[in-house]
Amino acid sequence: MEELTLKSTIKVAQWSELSDIEKKLVETAKQSTYNSYAPYSHFHVGAGILLKNGVIVPGCNQENAAFPVGICAERSAIFAAGAQYPDQPIMMLAIAERNSEGKFLEEPASPCGSCRQVIIETETRFKQPMRILLYGTNHTYIIDGIKELMPLSFTEF
């Protein structure tokens, strides 16, 4: 039997190491958490997307008592971008979360499986990876393409 070892590269950056546009995108994600509707989980998630044309599109999670009907912040932003700017590739996605106490998480949280698949589909659609910024108050993870989180992805890209 052969063994396959898969590796992921995730950069860990302090706030001062982020570029101005990365900071702006993280701030969009943080601000978007305040537009979240999360009466059940009390887990408020915000996203910010940078399109190739320079437009920033926000998104936030929206819960529903029928849980599968809600939507995560990442998909909210990606679908809004697709509806408003269907021909614009997504260059960067920032994600931030606040807990039930209203505090931003110290450690970054990662996108759920559904969001990861939507990100894969978006990268495949535009034939390019997007930079993903996962914000935490201790540091921000920088991931250059979803395949770093899902090396065995369901895609042709």
Side-chain angles (χ1 to χ4, degrees):
M1 178 183 314
E2 197 176 322
E3 185 175 301
L4 177 63
T5 301
L6 303 173
K7 290 185 175 185
S8 294
T9 301
I10 299 173
K11 298 173 186 134
V12 181
Q14 298 304 312
W15 184 255
S16 62
E17 297 174 301
L18 298 178
S19 70
D20 288 343
I21 192 62
E22 289 170 334
K23 288 177 182 176
K24 184 174 182 179
L25 209 57
V26 168
E27 288 298 335
T28 297
K30 289 171 64 178
Q31 189 60 43
S32 294
T33 67
Y34 295 100
N35 296 333
S36 163
Y37 179 69
Y40 307 104
S41 71
H42 306 287
F43 192 68
H44 300 273
V45 184
I49 287 179
L50 174 66
L51 302 177
K52 188 172 186 175
N53 65 3
V55 170
I56 293 177
V57 179
C60 59
N61 62 322
Q62 300 291 310
E63 294 181 352
N64 191 288
F67 289 121
V69 180
I71 190 166
C72 298
E74 300 91 313
R75 286 181 284 145
S76 167
I78 290 169
F79 295 157
Q84 297 174 61
Y85 305 95
D87 298 326
Q88 288 296 310
I90 296 172
M91 307 306 292
M92 217 177 319
L93 164 65
I95 306 164
E97 305 86 1
R98 286 185 302 111
N99 61 23
S100 60
E101 298 167 356
K103 297 178 181 176
F104 286 100
L105 302 185
E106 291 180 4
E107 292 297 320
S110 186
C112 74
S114 295
C115 289
R116 290 178 187 213
Q117 188 60 44
V118 168
I119 294 167
I120 289 167
E121 187 74 20
T122 304
E123 288 184 354
T124 301
R125 175 182 177 187
F126 292 107
K127 296 178 177 49
Q128 68 180 50
M130 68 178 78
R131 175 167 272 200
I132 302 166
L133 308 171
L134 304 178
Y135 172 76
T137 58
N138 288 343
H139 44 254
T140 298
Y141 292 156
I142 301 174
I143 303 153
D144 288 320
I146 194 67
K147 287 195 175 188
E148 292 297 331
L149 291 179
M150 293 182 67
L152 297 177
S153 303
F154 183 70
T155 181
E156 293 180 22
F157 176 59

